[in-house]
Amino acid sequence: MYLKSLQLTDFAGVGSVDLPRFEPGLNVVVGDNEAGKSTLLTALRAAFFQKHRAGGEAVKMLAPYNRQARPEVAVEFDIDGTAYTLRKAFVQRPSADLSWPGGSLSGDAVEERLAELFRFSHPGRGDSKLSEHQGAFGLLWVEQGRSTGGLDIGVGKDAVTASLEGEVGQILGGERGRSLVAATKALQDRFFTDTLRVASASPIRQAEERREALRTELQAKLALRADYDEKLDRLRRRRETLLSYERDDAVAKAEAAVEAAEAASRAAESLDRERGEAERELRHALAKRDGAAEILRQRDKLIETRGRATQAAEAIAASLDAFRARAVEERSEVARLEARRAEAKAAADQAEAADEAIQLRAELSRKQDELAKARQRIEAARGIEEELAELRRAASGAGLDQKALAAIEAAEQSRREAAIRLSVAAPKLRFEPSAGQAVRDAAGEAVATEGSVDITGRSVFDLEGFGRIVIEPGADAGAVARDAATAEAACAGLFSRHGVASLEEARRRVQAAEERRIAADTLKARLGAILPEGLSEAAAALELREGEIAERSATMGAPTEENETKADPSDSRAARRTARALLEAADAELDGMRRRAAESSAQLATAEGEAGFRHAEAERLRREHLEAEAKRSRAALAEDLAAAEVERTAKAVVLDQRQRELAGVDPETVALTLQSKRRALVEIRRQVVALREEAAALEGELGGHGLTALGEDIDRIEGEVTVLERRLGRLNVEAEASKLLHSTLLAAQREAREHWLGPIKTQVAPYLRLIHPGTEIELDETTLEIRGLHRAGVEEHFQRLSAGAREQVAVVTRIALAQVLKKGGHPATVILDDALVNTDEKRLERMHLVLQKAAEDLQIIVLTCRERDFRGLGAPLFRI
């Protein structure tokens, strides 16, 4: 599909737009915010997918805001070499006309023809839901703000699927494959949950629960027998202990000890109350003494503060004249230094201009040398790339990796272990016939009698002179034989699948692949050391630098003979530094003097304010001191303090006497003794009651127990547990086999589905290399949405990438899907509405290369408000 032109009249917020000459490849439409760029995309959707007679809110939004008008859109486009002209009008007098060389349609017939051309279906009755009916164009036409959210492939998946089926065919397996997977899943579900835990309804779980129930019952029976013996011994011990309490008269003795401790406690409490009263009286006297001392201290502090304030006022008044004289001198010095600094500035500017001209020529010469070295590195990198390509070609036919080798080694180990188990588990039959008599098998063949015969299944032998003997081995021997055969077949199957004859051959092939990988890693390390940024980016940078140097050389012109002979960079740089140093010295001296002048002015103002404040403060303190002395003199305050101290001393003597009396009886010891005696009485009474109750309970329990049937129950339960354990072994083997079968089928199905995503990854790869070298994309095999990236061996989830990275990966993936759709015969024009707003300047240049490369096969229209970002793209620009 190729859009040729677009014309809008009275469409949404756009009065009139005419874009007459779209190119088949890359096109850029630029306009300011609110100019109507997104409206162009809305108009195209309406022209192709919106019925002209439709109603509802979606169609009403096509009309201009707050005025009556008839929204019209006209589009010229080309599909499969046929040129079409489409005109539609909405809301008022709706109409639709489609014309092409040799034909035309009008009205509803236009809508049906558009659905055939663009392979979509119209919505049903009600408001239009274009996002659910526009087919692949919801994928290819990216609206503003949707570029970072992934593909949002929606119903476009049907078109992509159809194109992929045309290229790689249907997914392997079909209905039979799905039925087989479902059958193995059902077999696995008999034993396991979806997370491969043992299911609650599994026969294994039921057997385990029955076994645990029997074990629990067995333990209970054994515990009953042990409990009976233990209770007899405990009853004897409790009776002896109770008798010792009664002989010692323990309860009466404990009661007497409690009464004595309570009397001592009452005496100690009386002494403690007296001590508390003396302590409260002392605290009252102490507070009275401290109050008097504080009042006296405040009076002394007021006297001292008054003296300091008077001295400060006298000192600040004496310094004012000196501050004023210094300020006048410093202002004169500032004026002189400003004139000197202006002279130094003019000289520095002249020296700097001369030096910059010389340095520019030296920088140009250095860049030319760096350019030659860059060319050499690129040539070396290309040689390494050729060696890497040779290693990749050598490794392309290998197909055997460490994972496959581990599987082969595991299968070989399983085969050996199965053979060993078979040799151990199978019964061995040895014949010792009488002289001249023979032993024959069921087929009549003679059986050698020198050694022994392993019996792994039902066996029949004819014994001359005796008759026939039939041997039926146990089920375990047959199962071991089947396991051995299965392991042998699995091992042979792996050898055949990977094209090797033995485990040693597989190991040799994996070792060779590892050596190739090491060589490739070495070459990649060398390539990274030479060109860390990558060959393609280095080549592009080289081209840009060549252009920059050529442009700078043209701008500067050829050096004159005078410049070549007289221009000495070291002399000009030294002159520049000298002039700059003189200017900096003048600046520093001027700044220092300005600071000193400002400080002097500030000090003068501060001193003047301080002088007024100190004088007022000294006067206020003088008045406060006179008022305080008038109320109560300092001598009277000193007498108050002495009287309070005498009272405090008397109260302290009384408190000391009370504390010595209380210490003599040790109140803590008295309290602890009372608590101990009370607890001892309670515990002795509790022990006597408990011993009597326990003895009575034991006598009652022992009278109701019997040991008659316990032995028989224990023997029966142990037999049932043994049978269940054998059954569990067989069920576990069956369950593991069902899980292995289902996982093997799923792995095969996933391997087949990987081919389904191959064409998309093939189309994405060259674009992805331009913006993220060494990166591989991961797509969801069911929804085709982007799952993540593989970079340097690390898997990164798509939603955890930065907004810019998500935007770039989504755009190149849409372009790749557009090429897949085009190969499948679907119309595939790509429209990006401000889809690269989160991309940084460096990556934007790489995205320009992506767009230019994709435009070789596709028509791409970029809608943007940032003309500067796309000015160097080389595509035609259309302004609205």
Side-chain angles (χ1 to χ4, degrees):
M1 175 183 172
Y2 161 36
L3 285 176
K4 295 181 176 179
S5 68
L6 175 63
Q7 184 177 7
L8 307 183
T9 303
D10 291 331
F11 201 96
V14 174
S16 176
V17 168
D18 187 9
L19 302 174
R21 296 185 306 278
F22 284 131
E23 296 293 331
L26 191 56
N27 301 266
V28 178
V29 179
V30 298
D32 296 334
N33 290 325
E34 306 297 329
K37 300 184 303 300
S38 298
T39 303
L40 301 182
L41 183 54
T42 302
L44 283 173
R45 293 185 189 278
F48 291 136
F49 309 116
Q50 181 70 67
K51 288 185 176 182
H52 64 288
R53 297 181 185 277
E57 290 299 322
V59 175
K60 291 178 181 178
M61 295 296 292
L62 304 181
Y65 177 71
N66 206 21
R67 67 186 179 91
Q68 297 293 323
R70 183 175 185 246
E72 297 182 56
V73 56
V75 187
E76 292 182 349
F77 60 95
D78 186 288
I79 293 182
D80 296 333
T82 301
Y84 292 88
T85 300
L86 171 65
R87 297 181 181 277
K88 276 191 180 182
F90 301 91
V91 185
Q92 300 182 26
R93 303 188 312 280
S95 64
D97 296 286
L98 180 66
S99 61
W100 63 94
S104 64
L105 293 171
S106 298
D108 293 340
V110 173
E111 310 296 359
E112 299 303 321
R113 184 59 181 271
L114 290 174
E116 294 174 5
L117 290 173
F118 294 100
R119 303 186 184 185
F120 73 96
S121 59
H122 284 293
R125 298 178 61 84
D127 287 343
S128 172
K129 297 180 181 178
L130 293 183
S131 61
E132 299 178 7
H133 298 275
Q134 57 188 321
F137 289 91
L139 169 67
L140 304 181
W141 293 0
V142 185
E143 296 176 351
Q144 188 175 20
R146 285 180 49 207
S147 58
T148 61
L151 300 181
D152 192 17
I153 193 166
V155 294
K157 178 186 172 185
D158 296 336
V160 176
T161 301
S163 299
L164 290 174
E165 287 177 350
E167 187 166 348
V168 301
Q170 296 284 344
I171 294 178
L172 301 182
E175 189 60 37
R176 286 187 63 189
R178 287 191 292 274
S179 299
L180 183 59
V181 173
T184 59
K185 181 66 165 61
L187 182 61
Q188 178 180 279
D189 289 345
R190 179 170 176 253
F191 297 100
F192 300 103
T193 64
D194 290 340
T195 58
L196 296 182
R197 296 180 179 275
V198 177
S200 58
S202 167
I204 294 176
R205 179 60 56 82
Q206 294 173 356
E208 288 176 343
E209 290 174 352
R210 175 58 182 162
R211 181 184 62 184
E212 291 306 314
L214 288 173
R215 285 177 174 174
T216 301
E217 185 180 356
L218 177 62
Q219 292 300 321
K221 296 293 184 183
L222 293 172
L224 279 176
R225 186 165 61 186
D227 184 61
Y228 189 87
D229 295 337
E230 190 272 335
K231 284 180 179 178
L232 279 176
D233 183 64
R234 192 167 7 130
L235 178 60
R236 177 186 57 77
R237 294 196 305 273
R238 296 299 179 269
R239 285 173 175 170
E240 291 176 355
T241 303
L242 182 60
L243 182 61
S244 69
Y245 272 87
E246 293 173 349
R247 282 198 304 266
D248 294 341
D249 196 14
V251 174
K253 291 179 180 179
E255 289 174 347
V258 168
E259 290 177 359
E262 286 177 345
S265 176
R266 287 192 294 271
E269 287 175 357
S270 177
L271 289 174
D272 187 57
R273 283 193 298 272
E274 293 177 358
R275 181 202 59 79
E277 183 63 26
E279 187 175 9
R280 283 191 295 274
E281 291 180 356
L282 175 61
R283 283 198 300 269
H284 176 71
L286 183 62
K288 185 176 179 181
R289 191 278 313 269
D290 291 344
E294 179 63 23
I295 292 172
L296 184 59
R297 278 196 300 272
Q298 290 295 330
R299 180 63 56 81
D300 291 340
K301 182 178 179 182
L302 177 60
I303 295 170
E304 182 183 357
T305 304
R306 175 188 173 184
R308 287 199 303 270
T310 301
Q311 293 174 0
E314 293 171 353
I316 196 68
S319 64
L320 281 176
D321 293 338
F323 282 132
R324 292 188 180 103
R326 189 172 63 184
V328 172
E329 292 175 0
E330 289 173 346
R331 283 196 293 270
S332 176
E333 184 65 15
V334 166
R336 185 185 66 80
L337 291 176
E338 285 176 346
R340 178 181 171 187
R341 190 262 178 198
E343 295 173 358
K345 177 67 168 61
D349 290 344
Q350 183 178 359
E352 188 171 344
D355 180 59
E356 285 181 354
I358 295 173
Q359 297 302 325
L360 284 174
R361 293 194 178 279
E363 177 66 14
L364 178 60
S365 176
R366 184 184 62 78
K367 287 186 176 291
Q368 289 172 340
D369 293 341
E370 291 179 352
L371 188 62
K373 294 178 181 178
R375 291 194 186 99
Q376 294 175 358
R377 289 199 302 272
I378 289 175
E379 289 302 321
R382 285 175 177 155
I384 294 175
E385 287 279 12
E386 292 176 1
E387 294 183 41
L388 281 172
E390 183 64 29
L391 285 175
R392 293 191 189 99
R393 286 193 292 273
S396 61
L400 189 64
D401 54 13
Q402 289 288 352
K403 183 177 180 181
L405 177 61
I408 292 175
E409 290 175 339
E412 176 68 16
Q413 182 67 22
S414 298
R415 183 190 67 76
R416 292 176 181 174
E417 291 176 355
I420 293 171
R421 288 196 300 272
L422 179 62
S423 65
V424 174
K428 299 184 183 299
L429 182 63
R430 183 180 182 87
F431 297 103
E432 297 180 356
S434 301
Q437 293 182 326
V439 178
R440 299 183 182 277
D441 58 20
E445 299 293 332
V447 177
T449 59
E450 288 78 9
S452 59
V453 178
D454 291 336
I455 306 300
T456 60
R458 185 176 184 274
S459 302
V460 179
F461 299 96
D462 289 323
L463 307 180
E464 287 187 1
F466 172 77
R468 174 172 292 184
I469 181 171
V470 179
I471 301 173
E472 297 281 355
D476 290 344
V480 172
R482 288 192 297 275
D483 290 346
T486 300
E488 184 72 31
C491 190
L494 283 175
F495 284 154
S496 175
R497 181 191 304 173
H498 296 289
V500 296
S502 65
L503 177 60
E504 291 304 319
E505 182 181 350
R507 286 173 175 162
R508 286 195 299 273
R509 286 176 57 182
V510 171
Q511 179 63 28
E514 180 65 15
E515 291 173 356
R516 287 193 296 273
R517 184 192 66 77
I518 293 172
D521 289 344
T522 303
L523 289 173
K524 289 176 182 177
R526 289 176 54 197
L527 182 60
I530 295 173
L531 291 178
E533 70 274 26
L535 181 57
S536 59
E537 290 192 6
L542 177 63
E543 184 177 352
L544 290 174
R545 290 168 69 183
E546 288 175 342
E548 290 175 358
I549 292 174
E551 181 180 354
R552 181 170 292 184
S553 297
T555 301
M556 294 181 62
T560 65
E561 183 177 354
E562 181 181 357
N563 290 336
E564 291 292 334
T565 57
K566 295 183 178 179
D568 187 345
S570 60
D571 291 344
S572 66
R573 182 57 57 87
R576 180 178 182 175
R577 285 196 297 270
T578 301
R580 177 56 60 182
L582 291 174
L583 176 60
E584 289 175 355
D587 282 336
E589 188 175 4
L590 177 60
D591 289 342
M593 182 53 65
R594 282 173 175 169
R595 285 195 299 271
R596 288 194 295 274
E599 290 173 359
S600 296
S601 297
Q603 288 174 356
L604 176 59
T606 302
E608 289 174 345
E610 183 72 11
F613 170 76
R614 293 299 181 187
H615 179 73
E617 182 70 7
E619 180 60 24
R620 179 184 65 81
L621 291 172
R622 186 187 67 80
R623 289 195 304 270
E624 287 185 5
H625 181 216
L626 293 176
E627 291 172 359
E629 284 293 321
K631 290 180 181 178
R632 191 167 181 83
S633 66
R634 186 188 180 285
L637 294 178
E639 293 175 357
D640 294 343
L641 176 60
E645 178 62 23
V646 170
E647 183 180 1
R648 183 203 66 78
T649 303
K651 299 297 183 182
V653 171
V654 174
L655 175 61
D656 183 63
Q657 178 64 28
R658 296 291 183 265
Q659 287 176 337
R660 286 198 300 272
E661 292 174 355
L662 183 60
V665 299
D666 192 1
E668 183 178 7
T669 301
V670 171
L672 291 174
T673 302
L674 177 59
Q675 292 175 3
S676 174
K677 298 303 181 182
R678 285 174 174 171
R679 285 197 298 269
L681 175 60
V682 171
E683 181 62 20
I684 290 171
R685 288 172 174 169
R686 189 188 65 79
Q687 287 292 333
V688 170
V689 172
L691 287 169
R692 289 171 179 168
E693 291 176 349
E694 187 176 0
L698 288 171
E699 290 171 354
E701 290 178 10
L702 291 174
H705 280 294
L707 299 178
T708 307
L710 278 178
E712 296 176 359
D713 290 345
I714 290 171
D715 292 341
R716 173 184 59 78
I717 294 171
E718 288 176 342
E720 291 185 18
V721 169
T722 301
V723 172
L724 271 175
E725 287 178 342
R726 291 175 181 170
R727 182 167 179 264
L728 269 173
R730 293 192 297 273
L731 287 173
N732 281 320
V733 171
E734 184 179 350
E736 290 301 319
S738 71
K739 182 165 63 175
L740 177 61
L741 176 60
H742 184 61
S743 64
T744 303
L745 287 176
L746 287 180
Q749 189 182 58
R750 283 193 297 271
E751 185 178 353
R753 284 182 173 174
E754 181 65 24
H755 296 294
W756 175 260
L757 302 177
I760 301 177
K761 291 186 176 181
T762 300
Q763 295 289 350
V764 172
Y767 302 126
L768 205 56
R769 279 197 299 271
L770 289 174
I771 56 173
H772 296 289
T775 301
E776 183 179 355
I777 195 169
E778 284 294 322
L779 300 173
D780 189 281
E781 60 191 23
T782 303
T783 65
L784 301 184
E785 282 290 346
I786 304 172
R787 287 196 309 193
L789 298 179
H790 278 283
R791 289 197 281 197
V794 178
E795 183 174 357
E796 302 179 49
H797 193 276
F798 179 72
Q799 294 301 328
R800 298 188 68 177
L801 299 175
S802 67
R806 294 200 307 272
E807 182 177 69
Q808 297 149 23
V809 173
V811 168
V812 299
T813 306
R814 290 177 192 275
I815 291 173
L817 290 174
Q819 292 178 322
V820 170
L821 288 167
K822 185 176 180 180
K823 289 182 179 180
H826 292 265
T829 291
V830 177
I831 301 179
L832 305 174
D833 184 6
D834 269 342
L836 297 174
V837 295
N838 298 295
T839 299
D840 60 65
E841 183 176 349
K842 181 178 179 181
R843 286 278 166 73
L844 187 60
E845 293 179 3
R846 314 303 294 172
M847 285 302 298
H848 286 178
L849 298 178
V850 169
L851 295 176
Q852 290 168 349
K853 182 177 179 63
E856 296 173 0
D857 299 321
L858 298 169
Q859 184 184 39
I860 301 176
I861 299 175
V862 177
L863 308 177
T864 181
C865 61
R866 300 186 300 170
E867 180 176 349
R868 183 179 62 183
D869 289 350
F870 295 90
R871 188 182 299 154
L873 191 57
L877 269 70
F878 303 90
R879 292 184 179 84
I880 60 172

